[in-house]
Amino acid sequence: MHQVRARIHLAALKHNLDEVKKMSPESRIVSVIKANAYGHGITEVARALQDSDAFAVARMDEALFLRQQGINKIIFLLEGVYEQDCYKLCEQYHLIPVVYCMEQFQWLQNYFAENNNSSLTYWLKLDTGMHRLGLQKTELNHLSDILQTLPDNRKPAGIMSHFACADEINNPFNQQQLELFEQLTVLPFKIQRSMANSAAIIAMPESHYDWVRPGIMLYGVSPFEDRVFKEAAGNSELELKHVMTLESELIAVKHLKKGDCIGYGSSWCCPQDMTIGVVGIGYGDGYPRHARPGTPVLMHKHRLPLVGRVSMDMITINLQALYQHGITPALGDRVILWGEGLLVEQVAQCSDTIAYELLCQITQRVTIEYE
Ligand SMILES: Cc1ncc(COP(=O)(O)O)c(C=O)c1O
């Protein structure tokens, strides 16, 4: 019935979590499953990653949805709360809000003042150079005077920050951020620390601290431009397995003449007589509209290039290589857009984007199947 499927290999997901454990054996793991677990389905991914120590999502509605689904592990709210009342929800649903600005801290103090018996725990987020969310150095200095006066159960349980350029292994800014984090987190009370996303887990063991926060590597995708982990991971044997295979099928075969042009804008014209396949997937399913001619798809284990523009429900591919291998394609034949045998990173490169975006933008029209 369904033409477009995303098959999710749960065993690969678990394998990738084990790889994180191998890379950071001294740290606890908070698996980042925001944005519907990077497009993989948040509930099923949370169930498959039960060996994590905690989960992290960006927003309250994601956390509440997980609770509704019966997920009872610790959940970090990476964007904290947007209004004071939401601390009540954090308390009720055992969520750990991250406090990244003075307003959030003040709301929290108000909340504690009104709720003496509260057992809410929270983390702080520091801005060490990303300049997005996080307390500035001066704000933290001011805050640490206040924090010292608070009873232990009102102090933050931990402190985190986020790298801006961790995917660029040799970027000196990574060390600068780390040094600032190290310097600012020397506080007169005990506090847990967290800094590393996937790229830093692989390439910067000195940034692992108490908790690591893997996202993209859990889904089997490299946070770097390529998958040569050996250099990044200091020769350790890291093997990530792709988790999502996106597939559709052939819905038409066209025999065209030299000079015939294909699709919207007639932007791609046949350099010779050729046979074109129409595949039932398009940007309405989340396949990138900007995929360039030449972007590979996989059919009968052969790489075939995209030709013409991506439409809402269809793409067109050059079938020539199949005939050259003695294969006659038929309607209904399976076409892999990424995953098994074809890296999503490569499709992203051909579409001037990153694999994160491709995975997250799978639309509801795609059936997700778990295996
Ligand atoms: C605060 C925070 N930590 C960790 C991650 C995980 O990053 P990655 O997917 O690169 O591992 C993210 C993702 O954007 C994040 O925002």
Side-chain angles (χ1 to χ4, degrees), residues 23-34:
M23 301 238 67
S24 50
E26 307 296 325
S27 308
R28 281 194 271 177
I29 299 175
V30 48
S31 293
V32 180
I33 56 172
K34 59 189 176 152

mmCIF file with all atom_site columns, all heavy atoms in Angstrom, residues 23-34:
data_model
loop_
_atom_site.group_PDB
_atom_site.id
_atom_site.type_symbol
_atom_site.label_atom_id
_atom_site.label_alt_id
_atom_site.label_comp_id
_atom_site.label_asym_id
_atom_site.label_entity_id
_atom_site.label_seq_id
_atom_site.pdbx_PDB_ins_code
_atom_site.Cartn_x
_atom_site.Cartn_y
_atom_site.Cartn_z
_atom_site.occupancy
_atom_site.B_iso_or_equiv
_atom_site.pdbx_formal_charge
_atom_site.auth_seq_id
_atom_site.auth_comp_id
_atom_site.auth_asym_id
_atom_site.auth_atom_id
_atom_site.pdbx_PDB_model_num
ATOM 1  N N   . MET A 1 23 ? 33.362 4.781  23.720 1.00 0.00 ? 23 MET A N   1
ATOM 2  C CA  . MET A 1 23 ? 34.171 5.990  23.541 1.00 0.00 ? 23 MET A CA  1
ATOM 3  C C   . MET A 1 23 ? 34.258 6.812  24.827 1.00 0.00 ? 23 MET A C   1
ATOM 4  O O   . MET A 1 23 ? 35.211 7.551  25.027 1.00 0.00 ? 23 MET A O   1
ATOM 5  C CB  . MET A 1 23 ? 33.574 6.882  22.451 1.00 0.00 ? 23 MET A CB  1
ATOM 6  C CG  . MET A 1 23 ? 33.457 6.211  21.110 1.00 0.00 ? 23 MET A CG  1
ATOM 7  S SD  . MET A 1 23 ? 34.349 7.078  19.830 1.00 0.00 ? 23 MET A SD  1
ATOM 8  C CE  . MET A 1 23 ? 36.012 6.903  20.272 1.00 0.00 ? 23 MET A CE  1
ATOM 9  N N   . SER A 1 24 ? 33.216 6.719  25.667 1.00 0.00 ? 24 SER A N   1
ATOM 10 C CA  . SER A 1 24 ? 33.212 7.568  26.879 1.00 0.00 ? 24 SER A CA  1
ATOM 11 C C   . SER A 1 24 ? 32.794 6.733  28.087 1.00 0.00 ? 24 SER A C   1
ATOM 12 O O   . SER A 1 24 ? 31.734 6.959  28.683 1.00 0.00 ? 24 SER A O   1
ATOM 13 C CB  . SER A 1 24 ? 32.259 8.744  26.685 1.00 0.00 ? 24 SER A CB  1
ATOM 14 O OG  . SER A 1 24 ? 31.006 8.295  26.231 1.00 0.00 ? 24 SER A OG  1
ATOM 15 N N   . PRO A 1 25 ? 33.642 5.748  28.444 1.00 0.00 ? 25 PRO A N   1
ATOM 16 C CA  . PRO A 1 25 ? 33.250 4.773  29.478 1.00 0.00 ? 25 PRO A CA  1
ATOM 17 C C   . PRO A 1 25 ? 33.062 5.383  30.860 1.00 0.00 ? 25 PRO A C   1
ATOM 18 O O   . PRO A 1 25 ? 32.380 4.812  31.703 1.00 0.00 ? 25 PRO A O   1
ATOM 19 C CB  . PRO A 1 25 ? 34.417 3.776  29.470 1.00 0.00 ? 25 PRO A CB  1
ATOM 20 C CG  . PRO A 1 25 ? 35.552 4.486  28.847 1.00 0.00 ? 25 PRO A CG  1
ATOM 21 C CD  . PRO A 1 25 ? 34.987 5.504  27.917 1.00 0.00 ? 25 PRO A CD  1
ATOM 22 N N   . GLU A 1 26 ? 33.661 6.548  31.093 1.00 0.00 ? 26 GLU A N   1
ATOM 23 C CA  . GLU A 1 26 ? 33.578 7.149  32.436 1.00 0.00 ? 26 GLU A CA  1
ATOM 24 C C   . GLU A 1 26 ? 32.382 8.074  32.597 1.00 0.00 ? 26 GLU A C   1
ATOM 25 O O   . GLU A 1 26 ? 32.143 8.603  33.681 1.00 0.00 ? 26 GLU A O   1
ATOM 26 C CB  . GLU A 1 26 ? 34.847 7.985  32.728 1.00 0.00 ? 26 GLU A CB  1
ATOM 27 C CG  . GLU A 1 26 ? 36.179 7.276  32.530 1.00 0.00 ? 26 GLU A CG  1
ATOM 28 C CD  . GLU A 1 26 ? 36.360 6.128  33.490 1.00 0.00 ? 26 GLU A CD  1
ATOM 29 O OE1 . GLU A 1 26 ? 35.894 6.259  34.641 1.00 0.00 ? 26 GLU A OE1 1
ATOM 30 O OE2 . GLU A 1 26 ? 36.910 5.088  33.080 1.00 0.00 ? 26 GLU A OE2 1
ATOM 31 N N   . SER A 1 27 ? 31.677 8.325  31.494 1.00 0.00 ? 27 SER A N   1
ATOM 32 C CA  . SER A 1 27 ? 30.609 9.341  31.552 1.00 0.00 ? 27 SER A CA  1
ATOM 33 C C   . SER A 1 27 ? 29.245 8.693  31.488 1.00 0.00 ? 27 SER A C   1
ATOM 34 O O   . SER A 1 27 ? 29.080 7.601  30.942 1.00 0.00 ? 27 SER A O   1
ATOM 35 C CB  . SER A 1 27 ? 30.727 10.299 30.365 1.00 0.00 ? 27 SER A CB  1
ATOM 36 O OG  . SER A 1 27 ? 32.016 10.810 30.278 1.00 0.00 ? 27 SER A OG  1
ATOM 37 N N   . ARG A 1 28 ? 28.273 9.412  32.007 1.00 0.00 ? 28 ARG A N   1
ATOM 38 C CA  . ARG A 1 28 ? 26.897 8.980  31.807 1.00 0.00 ? 28 ARG A CA  1
ATOM 39 C C   . ARG A 1 28 ? 26.404 9.531  30.474 1.00 0.00 ? 28 ARG A C   1
ATOM 40 O O   . ARG A 1 28 ? 26.942 10.523 29.963 1.00 0.00 ? 28 ARG A O   1
ATOM 41 C CB  . ARG A 1 28 ? 26.027 9.442  32.968 1.00 0.00 ? 28 ARG A CB  1
ATOM 42 C CG  . ARG A 1 28 ? 26.235 8.500  34.153 1.00 0.00 ? 28 ARG A CG  1
ATOM 43 C CD  . ARG A 1 28 ? 25.191 8.686  35.194 1.00 0.00 ? 28 ARG A CD  1
ATOM 44 N NE  . ARG A 1 28 ? 25.617 9.714  36.124 1.00 0.00 ? 28 ARG A NE  1
ATOM 45 C CZ  . ARG A 1 28 ? 24.866 10.146 37.126 1.00 0.00 ? 28 ARG A CZ  1
ATOM 46 N NH1 . ARG A 1 28 ? 23.641 9.688  37.301 1.00 0.00 ? 28 ARG A NH1 1
ATOM 47 N NH2 . ARG A 1 28 ? 25.324 11.056 37.947 1.00 0.00 ? 28 ARG A NH2 1
ATOM 48 N N   . ILE A 1 29 ? 25.374 8.876  29.930 1.00 0.00 ? 29 ILE A N   1
ATOM 49 C CA  . ILE A 1 29 ? 24.944 9.236  28.569 1.00 0.00 ? 29 ILE A CA  1
ATOM 50 C C   . ILE A 1 29 ? 23.533 9.791  28.589 1.00 0.00 ? 29 ILE A C   1
ATOM 51 O O   . ILE A 1 29 ? 22.598 9.129  29.051 1.00 0.00 ? 29 ILE A O   1
ATOM 52 C CB  . ILE A 1 29 ? 24.980 7.997  27.655 1.00 0.00 ? 29 ILE A CB  1
ATOM 53 C CG1 . ILE A 1 29 ? 26.406 7.456  27.563 1.00 0.00 ? 29 ILE A CG1 1
ATOM 54 C CG2 . ILE A 1 29 ? 24.451 8.340  26.255 1.00 0.00 ? 29 ILE A CG2 1
ATOM 55 C CD1 . ILE A 1 29 ? 26.539 6.177  26.784 1.00 0.00 ? 29 ILE A CD1 1
ATOM 56 N N   . VAL A 1 30 ? 23.389 11.008 28.074 1.00 0.00 ? 30 VAL A N   1
ATOM 57 C CA  . VAL A 1 30 ? 22.054 11.543 27.853 1.00 0.00 ? 30 VAL A CA  1
ATOM 58 C C   . VAL A 1 30 ? 21.810 11.546 26.336 1.00 0.00 ? 30 VAL A C   1
ATOM 59 O O   . VAL A 1 30 ? 22.450 12.285 25.591 1.00 0.00 ? 30 VAL A O   1
ATOM 60 C CB  . VAL A 1 30 ? 21.842 12.930 28.520 1.00 0.00 ? 30 VAL A CB  1
ATOM 61 C CG1 . VAL A 1 30 ? 22.960 13.904 28.249 1.00 0.00 ? 30 VAL A CG1 1
ATOM 62 C CG2 . VAL A 1 30 ? 20.532 13.550 28.095 1.00 0.00 ? 30 VAL A CG2 1
ATOM 63 N N   . SER A 1 31 ? 20.959 10.646 25.901 1.00 0.00 ? 31 SER A N   1
ATOM 64 C CA  . SER A 1 31 ? 20.706 10.502 24.461 1.00 0.00 ? 31 SER A CA  1
ATOM 65 C C   . SER A 1 31 ? 19.770 11.610 23.988 1.00 0.00 ? 31 SER A C   1
ATOM 66 O O   . SER A 1 31 ? 18.692 11.802 24.559 1.00 0.00 ? 31 SER A O   1
ATOM 67 C CB  . SER A 1 31 ? 20.072 9.136  24.167 1.00 0.00 ? 31 SER A CB  1
ATOM 68 O OG  . SER A 1 31 ? 21.001 8.114  24.431 1.00 0.00 ? 31 SER A OG  1
ATOM 69 N N   . VAL A 1 32 ? 20.199 12.302 22.951 1.00 0.00 ? 32 VAL A N   1
ATOM 70 C CA  . VAL A 1 32 ? 19.418 13.439 22.460 1.00 0.00 ? 32 VAL A CA  1
ATOM 71 C C   . VAL A 1 32 ? 18.398 12.932 21.438 1.00 0.00 ? 32 VAL A C   1
ATOM 72 O O   . VAL A 1 32 ? 18.763 12.397 20.384 1.00 0.00 ? 32 VAL A O   1
ATOM 73 C CB  . VAL A 1 32 ? 20.347 14.511 21.854 1.00 0.00 ? 32 VAL A CB  1
ATOM 74 C CG1 . VAL A 1 32 ? 19.528 15.701 21.353 1.00 0.00 ? 32 VAL A CG1 1
ATOM 75 C CG2 . VAL A 1 32 ? 21.370 14.976 22.910 1.00 0.00 ? 32 VAL A CG2 1
ATOM 76 N N   . ILE A 1 33 ? 17.120 13.064 21.797 1.00 0.00 ? 33 ILE A N   1
ATOM 77 C CA  . ILE A 1 33 ? 16.060 12.503 20.948 1.00 0.00 ? 33 ILE A CA  1
ATOM 78 C C   . ILE A 1 33 ? 15.016 13.571 20.588 1.00 0.00 ? 33 ILE A C   1
ATOM 79 O O   . ILE A 1 33 ? 13.856 13.271 20.367 1.00 0.00 ? 33 ILE A O   1
ATOM 80 C CB  . ILE A 1 33 ? 15.401 11.263 21.605 1.00 0.00 ? 33 ILE A CB  1
ATOM 81 C CG1 . ILE A 1 33 ? 14.844 11.593 23.000 1.00 0.00 ? 33 ILE A CG1 1
ATOM 82 C CG2 . ILE A 1 33 ? 16.409 10.126 21.716 1.00 0.00 ? 33 ILE A CG2 1
ATOM 83 C CD1 . ILE A 1 33 ? 14.010 10.446 23.601 1.00 0.00 ? 33 ILE A CD1 1
ATOM 84 N N   . LYS A 1 34 ? 15.479 14.820 20.545 1.00 0.00 ? 34 LYS A N   1
ATOM 85 C CA  . LYS A 1 34 ? 14.563 15.911 20.165 1.00 0.00 ? 34 LYS A CA  1
ATOM 86 C C   . LYS A 1 34 ? 14.199 15.775 18.683 1.00 0.00 ? 34 LYS A C   1
ATOM 87 O O   . LYS A 1 34 ? 14.785 14.950 17.974 1.00 0.00 ? 34 LYS A O   1
ATOM 88 C CB  . LYS A 1 34 ? 15.215 17.264 20.440 1.00 0.00 ? 34 LYS A CB  1
ATOM 89 C CG  . LYS A 1 34 ? 16.513 17.483 19.689 1.00 0.00 ? 34 LYS A CG  1
ATOM 90 C CD  . LYS A 1 34 ? 17.229 18.729 20.143 1.00 0.00 ? 34 LYS A CD  1
ATOM 91 C CE  . LYS A 1 34 ? 18.564 18.843 19.436 1.00 0.00 ? 34 LYS A CE  1
ATOM 92 N NZ  . LYS A 1 34 ? 19.047 20.177 19.273 1.00 0.00 ? 34 LYS A NZ  1
#
